């Protein structure tokens, strides 16, 4: 058995490829950055076609099946991107056309916090989707992609899968440090977490909670919250370096 590890994003692409999917339409998205990065992996054989608007992407995915019989994928970022996909997916649903739609969203820890551009996306597709679920952990992604495609084909309809930000990159840390005996993977994970706090601003749910709690305006919150989070980030990285020097 191979001990090779790949990211959840690349694993999802290989599952799509196994079903004969060779095209993905959409706009590169920060909430789906792991999937976008996986597209550039030499092992990936699915081509990404960038469109001007997510609605065009979902229409193109539907048209591809109608004219060629080959299923395609449409992707949209969390919030506005997910809403823009809906017109093309309604067209697919009305014509009983299998399409896989992948929606980005906020990281799992920020869901339900009314953060910037957050929407309760899955209910929007209840009327048209034959499969409509959200991925909870990285290990679920390949299985749920497989299940979504199977359902879309068997029921001739739209399969919608919401993938919170960060899940598609899971699994990349271990391969990066596997041959570096001086590097402790636990410290790498801690460093990534600490570094992600730096320059935290309006995309952070905590930013808006801090603003409302202390009755501040946006410029004041930027000066206080962003500086505070950056200090915490820098201090955290310094502590991690010290611990790494002691225990590695």
């Amino acid at each position: 058995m191979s001990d090779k590890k790949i990211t959840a994003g690349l694993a999802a692409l290989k599952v799509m490829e196994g079903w004969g999917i060779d095209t993905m339409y959409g706009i590169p998205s920060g909430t789906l950055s792991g999937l976008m990065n996986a597209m550039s992996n030499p092992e990936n054989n699915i081509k990404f076609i960038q469109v001007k608007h997510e609605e065009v992407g979902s229409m193109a995915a539907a048209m591809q099946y109608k004219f060629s019989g080959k299923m395609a994928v449409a992707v949209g970022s969390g919030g506005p991107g997910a809403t823009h996909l809906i017109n093309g997916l309604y067209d697919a649903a009305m014509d009983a056309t299998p399409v896989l739609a992948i929606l980005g969203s906020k990281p799992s820890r920020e869901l339900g916090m009314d953060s910037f551009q957050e929407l309760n996306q899955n209910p929007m597709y209840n009327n048209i989707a034959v499969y409509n679920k959200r991925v909870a952990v990285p290990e679920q992604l390949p299985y749920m992609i497989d299940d979504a495609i199977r359902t879309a084909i068997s029921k001739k309809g739209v399969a919608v899968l919401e993938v919170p930000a960060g899940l598609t990159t899971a699994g990349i840390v271990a391969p990066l440090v596997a041959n570096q005996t001086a590097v402790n993977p636990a410290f790498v994970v801690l460093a990534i977490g600490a570094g992600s706090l730096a320059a935290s601003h309006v995309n952070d749910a905590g930013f808006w909670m801090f603003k409302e709690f202390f009755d501040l305006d946006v410029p004041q919150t930027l000066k206080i919250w962003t500086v505070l989070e950056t200090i915490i980030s820098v201090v955290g990285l310094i502590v991690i370096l010290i611990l790494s020097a002691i225990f590695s």
Side-chain angles (χ1 to χ4, degrees), residues 12-13 16-17 19-26 35 39 46-49 51 56-76 85 88-89 92 97-102 145 148-150 152-153 157-161:
L13 293 176
M16 295 178 203
E17 185 182 335
W19 279 98
I21 292 174
D22 61 8
T23 311
M24 181 182 294
Y25 299 92
L35 187 63
M39 295 293 296
I46 296 176
K47 61 179 178 289
F48 183 85
I49 298 179
V51 295
V56 177
S58 55
M59 289 291 291
M63 291 302 112
Q64 177 169 311
Y65 185 86
K66 291 178 185 180
F67 286 103
S68 70
K70 296 189 69 174
M71 187 174 171
V73 181
V75 299
L85 284 173
L89 297 181
T97 303
V99 172
L100 173 61
I102 300 178
I145 289 286
I149 295 171
R150 180 183 296 106
I153 294 172
V158 175
V160 176
L161 194 61

Side-chain angles (χ1 to χ4, degrees), residues 23 25 45 75 98 120 142 159 183-184 187 190-191 195 228:
T23 311
Y25 299 92
N45 296 308
V75 299
N120 191 9
V183 177
N184 187 324
F187 290 131
L190 288 172
L228 173 65

